[in-house]
Amino acid sequence: MRDKDTTPVVPADEEGIARAAAILEAGGLVAVPTETVYGLAARADSAEAVARIYAAKGRPDFNPLIVHVRDVEQAALYGDFSDPVLSDIAQVMWPGPLTLVVERRADAALAEAVTAGLPTVALRAPAHPVMRALLEAVDFPLAAPSANRSGFISPTSAEHVLASLDGRIDLVLDAGPTEAGVESTILRIGPDDAWHELRPGPVDVAALYRDYHDREMPVGQAPAGITAPGQLASHYAPGKPVRLDAAQAEADEFLIGFGPVTGDVTLSASGDVTEAAARLYHCLHEAARSDRPRIAVAPVPDRGVGRAVNDRLRRAATPPD
Ligand code: TXA
Ligand code: MG
C-alpha cells in the first residue's frame, strides 16, 4: 500500500502530458519515459528547478546533466554545431539514444548547474513519443538525468522510479517499460576532430565512425577533462555484492541468467544482447529486492549493446567507496 502524500503516477496521455508541462513550467520535477530509461525532468533554464533535481537524486554537484531538446535547431541554441560532421550526425541520428557533448554557447540560456561549470554541454533529442510531446508542449529544454537516487539502479518502469524517488518528485508519467533499457551512448567529437565514446550505449560509435571515415576508429585514451564526470567506478548499485561471469549460483546468491545459464531471472534466454540491455535494470531491481544477500550474473558477450550491458554490470559490481 502506498501512503497518501506520495508522488502521483498518471498515464502518459494528453491530459497527463498537459499536467506534466504545467508542473515543469512552474519549476517542478516530473519523471518521464524516454526510449532508454525514465528521466527526471526539470526546466534547464531555471537554477531553482535544476537544483531540485540534484536535491531529489542526492547527486554530486560536479556531475553535469543531459539537456533534452526537440531537434538540432533547438540544440544549436545551446551548443556549437558549426562543425558539419557534428550537425550531420545530429540530423541523421536524432531523435534517438545518442548524446553529443559539444562546446557550450556563451549565450546559452541554461542554468549554470546543468553543465557543472564545464565549457561543454551534453545534448540529446530523445525518440520516445511522450518525451517528444512534452518537449513540444513547453518552450524550454529539459534537463533530465536518469530518475533514480544517485548511484542506484536506473529505472525502466514507473515502479522503478517510485522505488527510489517516491515522495521526492511531483509527478510520474507512466508509459510502461522503456525499450532500449540502457542509457544513451555519449559521444564527444574534438578537439582535433578526435572521437571519444564517453559512455557505451544503444548507438554503436565504432560503426558510426566507419560510416564517416571509411576506416576503423582509433582506440585511444580521452585526454584529461574529456571524460564524463558521472562515469563513476561504482554506479547502478543494487545494495548487495555482485559477482560477474557466473556459470551457476551459490546457495545464497540470486542468479541473473543469460543464454544457456538459466537463473532466477534471465537477461535473455535466447542469448540476444539487445534483449539483455532492455531487461538489465529490471533484472537488477528483482535481484535487489529478493531475500538473497548476494547476486551473481552470467557472462554476456561484449559485442554491440552487450558492451553497454557489461559497462553497467562492472559498475554495479564495484562496491561504493
Ligand atoms: O539515456 C539517457 O541518457 C538518460 C535519459 C533520461 O535521457 N539520461 C541519463 O542521464 O543517463 P544521467 O544524468 O544519468 O547521465 C548523464 C551523463 C553523466 O555521466 C554525465 O557525467 C555526462 O552525461 N555528462 C553530462 N554533461 C557532460 C559534459 N558536458 N561532458 C561530459 N559528460 C557529460
Ligand atoms: Mg544515471
Side-chain angles (χ1 to χ4, degrees):
M1 276 292 274
R2 299 184 58 210
D3 298 329
K4 270 229 272 329
D5 56 345
T6 48
T7 301
V9 180
V10 299
D13 54 13
E14 213 172 309
E15 192 186 325
I17 289 167
R19 182 166 166 191
I23 291 171
L24 292 166
E25 190 92 37
L29 299 183
V30 180
V32 187
T34 81
E35 74 276 40
T36 57
V37 300
Y38 276 69
L40 180 59
R43 57 187 301 166
D45 61 349
S46 158
E48 293 76 24
V50 170
R52 286 192 190 109
I53 292 182
Y54 284 91
K57 280 182 65 90
R59 182 173 175 112
D61 58 12
F62 57 80
N63 189 0
L65 306 173
I66 295 173
V67 177
H68 297 69
V69 291
R70 289 186 287 269
D71 50 30
V72 63
E73 284 71 37
Q74 193 185 15
L77 299 173
Y78 306 102
D80 180 358
F81 282 82
S82 57
D83 171 7
V85 170
L86 203 55
S87 66
D88 194 65
I89 290 175
Q91 292 285 1
V92 171
M93 301 304 292
W94 286 352
L98 178 67
T99 296
L100 295 168
V101 172
V102 305
E103 304 302 318
R104 177 183 162 141
R105 278 179 61 146
D107 60 354
L110 294 174
E112 280 303 318
V114 170
T115 47
L118 294 174
T120 53
V121 56
L123 288 150
R124 120 170 162 92
H128 196 291
V130 170
M131 185 56 147
R132 291 183 63 71
L134 201 51
L135 286 164
E136 290 292 342
V138 297
D139 60 1
F140 41 78
L142 294 173
S146 50
N148 53 277
R149 294 293 287 268
S150 186
F152 292 93
I153 311 167
S154 299
T156 52
S157 69
E159 191 198 343
H160 294 167
V161 174
L162 293 177
S164 76
L165 292 175
D166 198 5
R168 304 177 69 87
I169 64 177
D170 300 304
L171 187 72
V172 180
L173 278 180
D174 185 355
T178 60
E179 190 186 323
V182 289
E183 295 84 347
S184 61
T185 301
I186 305 181
L187 172 63
R188 164 86 163 124
I189 300 181
D192 304 330
D193 295 331
W195 288 37
H196 304 288
E197 183 190 57
L198 303 185
R199 179 173 71 185
V203 169
D204 186 339
V205 167
L208 197 59
Y209 187 92
R210 280 195 295 274
D211 287 347
Y212 281 88
H213 296 279
D214 282 326
R215 58 185 163 87
E216 291 302 311
M217 185 168 134
V219 283
Q221 205 62 46
I226 312 199
T227 47
Q231 295 305 89
L232 305 176
S234 176
H235 208 118
Y236 317 105
K240 302 176 181 181
V242 178
R243 182 169 69 90
L244 301 181
D245 292 322
Q248 59 199 36
E250 287 166 19
D252 62 346
E253 285 177 336
F254 181 95
L255 178 62
I256 299 177
F258 179 87
V261 180
T262 48
D264 296 282
V265 292
T266 182
L267 290 164
S268 169
S270 65
D272 174 6
V273 289
T274 302
E275 186 184 17
R279 288 181 46 78
L280 173 66
Y281 294 130
H282 165 75
C283 290
L284 284 173
H285 276 273
E286 290 296 306
R289 68 177 182 206
S290 90
D291 54 9
R292 266 159 285 167
R294 298 192 301 133
I295 301 168
V297 190
V300 176
D302 212 37
R303 56 161 198 271
V305 75
R307 291 177 55 245
V309 172
N310 285 320
D311 169 75
R312 308 305 191 271
L313 283 173
R314 274 193 298 277
R315 295 175 210 281
T318 302
D321 293 339

